[in-house]
Amino acid sequence: MKAIVLEQVEGQTQATIKQADLPAAAAGEVLVDVAWSSLNYKDALAITGKGKIIRNFPMVPGIDFAGVVKHSNDARYTAGQEVVLTGWGVGENHWGGLAEQAQVKSDWLVPLPAGMSSRSAMIIGTAGLTAMLCVMALEDAGITPESGEVVVTGASGGVGSTAVALLHALGYKVAAVTGRESTHDYLLKLGASRIMPRSEFAETRPLEKQIWAGVIDTVGGNVLAKVLAQTNYSGCVAACGLAGGFDLPTTVMPFILRNVRLQGVDSVNAPFARRTAAWARLANDLPESFYQTATTEIALEDAPKVAADFLNNAIQGRTLVKIR
């Protein structure tokens, strides 16, 4: 199969497009002909070697993919069935989706939702699934469109873009936080009602004026501390990222004085039932306009070059990778 293969040479990660052979299938594994994958921030770190993502070489990156089952050792999946995979360490410690084939544990797969193509599934990808899980976390906390305004931080990225589109489609009033003025028109097209510069979130006090009924935060650090201090009484903050740092310079004040809920959201190890529910919601709730507005399509051969753009903050929306 053709694949991006990461190897370490003299301490440096090298990404090469080459032919590679998958190992023999083990019990319970499924062989998938990959049609589409995507580039995520974690993929960019792995391909460029800028992050400690890959521990064992050689490795095929790609934390998500969609395609068709070629052979299955599990009765739940049959040849010709369309499937999607996100998470589970695929593309990190198990060969991933930036290849013509992938061989994975059947428990990691999800049947492609009815009415969704494999191409659309990878426009959504890991980022979109994470965004949907964040929206569901706000809903579980009782945050409705009538509760008030919801803010999305890191809004021009993959998770943020999908979250803005989803929230708008569900009737929420959405504020978008971004560090790039060039993305303002893009975010307004996705459904943001107003844009706020990230610079306004650099400093915070233990408590500030109550503004947000809900928050989807992809940034962490000072930005997360700021939105916590601004969240309404009984509001909810769904935190899923650390692009701005993994520290949290806050106090207990929002939690014990305003009853604020900080809900962590993880898509890597999300259980099957939660995943399938999220994918079904994405198939129904994500507007068709999102797929055109938020997508840049590239070929597999272009992925190593484009990966560097992620680290230079030059990517907006979703980067779709055509495998076949």
Side-chain angles (χ1 to χ4, degrees):
M1 65 172 186
K2 183 169 67 173
I4 295 177
V5 179
L6 304 182
E7 297 172 290
Q8 200 158 53
V9 180
E10 297 181 353
Q12 301 295 316
T13 300
Q14 292 187 356
T16 308
I17 307 292
K18 59 170 39 177
Q19 294 294 317
D21 294 321
L22 285 167
E29 288 192 334
V30 177
L31 178 63
V32 179
D33 285 334
V34 178
W36 301 91
S37 185
S38 73
L39 273 186
N40 299 272
Y41 188 74
K42 188 178 287 186
D43 297 317
L45 289 173
I47 291 170
T48 60
K50 300 298 184 183
K52 295 181 180 179
I53 304 299
I54 308 300
R55 303 291 182 178
N56 298 303
F57 295 88
M59 179 60 61
V60 174
I63 65 172
D64 50 26
F65 64 79
V68 177
V69 173
K70 184 176 181 66
H71 177 75
S72 175
N73 288 332
D74 187 313
R76 290 175 296 174
Y77 295 98
T78 58
Q81 184 176 1
E82 292 185 291
V83 293
V84 60
L85 180 143
T86 61
W88 299 114
V90 171
E92 299 176 65
N93 48 51
H94 187 97
W95 281 19
L98 289 171
E100 292 180 323
Q101 290 187 321
Q103 192 165 271
V104 296
K105 293 182 179 180
S106 55
D107 288 341
W108 297 346
L109 295 170
V110 172
L112 192 70
M116 181 181 288
S117 69
S118 57
R119 184 180 188 274
S120 295
M122 277 302 100
I123 294 174
I124 296 167
T126 298
L129 176 65
T130 305
M132 187 73 251
L133 291 170
C134 287
V135 171
M136 292 165 66
L138 296 186
E139 293 173 340
D140 291 345
I143 308 303
T144 67
E146 292 70 36
S147 300
E149 193 171 18
V150 175
V151 64
V152 178
T153 69
S156 62
V159 177
S161 295
T162 316
V164 169
L166 279 169
L167 289 165
H168 175 69
L170 292 168
Y172 292 86
K173 184 180 180 181
V174 188
V177 179
T178 179
R180 289 183 287 162
E181 188 174 347
S182 61
T183 65
H184 288 195
D185 288 345
Y186 164 72
L187 291 168
L188 292 171
K189 288 180 181 178
L190 290 178
S193 58
R194 61 172 171 146
I195 312 294
M196 303 182 69
R198 184 171 169 177
S199 59
E200 291 188 12
F201 292 78
E203 298 180 1
T204 184
R205 298 186 298 273
L207 285 177
E208 300 194 8
K209 179 182 178 181
Q210 297 180 56
I211 304 174
W212 316 117
V215 179
I216 294 178
D217 175 64
T218 73
V219 178
N222 288 337
V223 173
L224 177 53
K226 181 82 168 183
V227 293
L228 279 167
Q230 296 176 333
T231 299
N232 294 352
Y233 190 91
S234 290
C236 179
V237 178
C240 66
L242 43 65
F246 56 77
D247 59 328
L248 182 53
T250 189
T251 71
V252 299
M253 304 287 273
F255 311 112
I256 65 174
L257 296 182
R258 290 187 179 164
N259 203 41
V260 170
R261 176 188 297 191
L262 175 57
Q263 177 65 58
V265 175
D266 165 65
S267 66
V268 174
N269 298 294
F272 182 80
R274 190 72 167 174
R275 285 174 186 268
T276 52
W279 277 109
R281 288 285 304 275
L282 285 160
N284 290 322
D285 296 344
L286 195 59
E288 187 63 31
S289 59
F290 171 82
Y291 297 103
Q292 286 77 43
T293 303
T295 307
T296 300
E297 182 180 320
I298 65 172
L300 178 65
E301 290 77 6
D302 297 326
K305 179 179 64 177
V306 176
D309 293 335
F310 277 81
L311 307 186
N312 295 326
N313 199 28
I315 296 292
Q316 70 178 28
R318 296 285 295 138
T319 302
L320 178 70
V321 182
K322 186 175 183 179
I323 306 296
R324 294 176 180 270

